[in-house]
Amino acid sequence: MNALFNILIARKLTYCMIVSSIVHGDVEPEKSKELLNRAIVQRPDYWRTWYLRGFTYWYFLEEREKALSDLSHAAKLPGAPPFLASMASRLMVAKDDITTAIRFLRDLIANTRDQTARKALRKKLKLAYISRDIRILETLSDKYAAEQGRRAASLKELVDAGLLRHIPLDPFGKPYEIDPETGSVQSL
């Protein structure tokens, strides 16, 4: 098995195709993880093996923290495609760690030379800001409802009540809107 493994490492494209078929095939995820662990030891700078192990953790093993760690690491490696940053930031947002997602995306933008990737990352960063803003505004909407005994009909009522200094715009320059029945906030 070790000899086969070393031959496969020498041909990383072939190796990744084999690992991908193992990860997505009938082999148990624990065995796929073991193989990917060995590949990472051999080539710690290769984003694809970190991505495949992160995907295995996320999809097959449901170990979200380990998946997030691997996907975040993969996204920072040379040659990593922009979709990895998107995956990692979505996992951060899903676990209510929007601040970390924002810092992660800012760091990637600062360290990315590829203008196409930078543009995609900036859009993801704006979406992370929107997620953060919506959570803050919905919390304020709930506070208003608790204090006033009814939902606010608009964000202006939150301003009038002293809960907001002004009506904010999303990072795309569009206003947020509040649903007076549910208190949910959305970006137009």
Side-chain angles (χ1 to χ4, degrees):
M1 180 87 169
N2 283 337
L4 174 62
F5 181 77
N6 290 333
I7 291 168
L8 293 175
I9 286 297
R11 302 277 187 202
K12 68 181 180 183
L13 181 58
T14 304
Y15 169 76
C16 282
M17 288 172 30
I18 291 169
V19 170
S20 292
S21 68
I22 290 170
V23 169
H24 298 97
D26 294 328
V27 177
E28 293 183 29
E30 285 294 333
K31 290 182 181 178
S32 296
K33 183 181 77 173
E34 289 173 26
L35 187 57
L36 290 163
N37 288 342
R38 293 173 68 190
I40 287 170
V41 168
Q42 293 290 322
R43 291 285 312 273
D45 61 336
Y46 190 48
W47 68 266
R48 195 175 303 263
T49 48
W50 289 93
Y51 159 70
L52 289 170
R53 189 175 73 177
F55 183 82
T56 300
Y57 278 131
W58 173 72
Y59 189 78
F60 294 105
L61 301 173
E62 297 183 12
E63 295 181 41
R64 304 295 190 240
E65 290 295 323
K66 290 179 180 179
L68 177 56
S69 176
D70 279 5
L71 293 173
S72 297
H73 184 79
K76 295 176 183 177
L77 291 173
F83 79 85
L84 285 179
S86 175
M87 286 180 73
S89 65
R90 275 185 293 196
L91 284 175
M92 289 174 199
V93 169
K95 72 173 209 129
D96 292 332
D97 198 358
I98 295 172
T99 303
T100 302
I102 289 170
R103 274 187 297 210
F104 173 72
L105 290 166
R106 281 183 183 160
D107 182 52
L108 283 177
I109 290 167
N111 293 298
T112 299
R113 293 188 183 121
D114 181 319
Q115 292 304 315
T116 303
R118 189 175 274 176
K119 183 178 177 181
L121 291 169
R122 282 188 181 120
K123 184 175 181 183
K124 291 294 177 190
L125 179 59
K126 287 180 179 182
L127 294 173
Y129 281 132
I130 288 171
S131 293
R132 180 202 61 192
D133 293 350
I134 285 174
R135 288 189 184 174
I136 291 168
L137 292 170
E138 287 179 347
T139 299
L140 293 174
S141 173
D142 291 342
K143 184 176 180 178
Y144 180 92
E147 291 174 359
Q148 303 297 321
R150 65 174 182 82
R151 292 275 179 202
S154 69
L155 289 175
K156 183 175 181 332
E157 288 187 43
L158 299 181
V159 173
D160 294 343
L163 297 172
L164 279 175
R165 285 188 232 148
H166 58 84
I167 298 173
L169 298 177
D170 75 14
F172 295 101
K174 297 178 182 178
Y176 291 100
E177 185 176 273
I178 192 167
D179 181 328
E181 291 182 25
T182 66
S184 66
V185 176
Q186 64 181 0
S187 172
L188 299 177

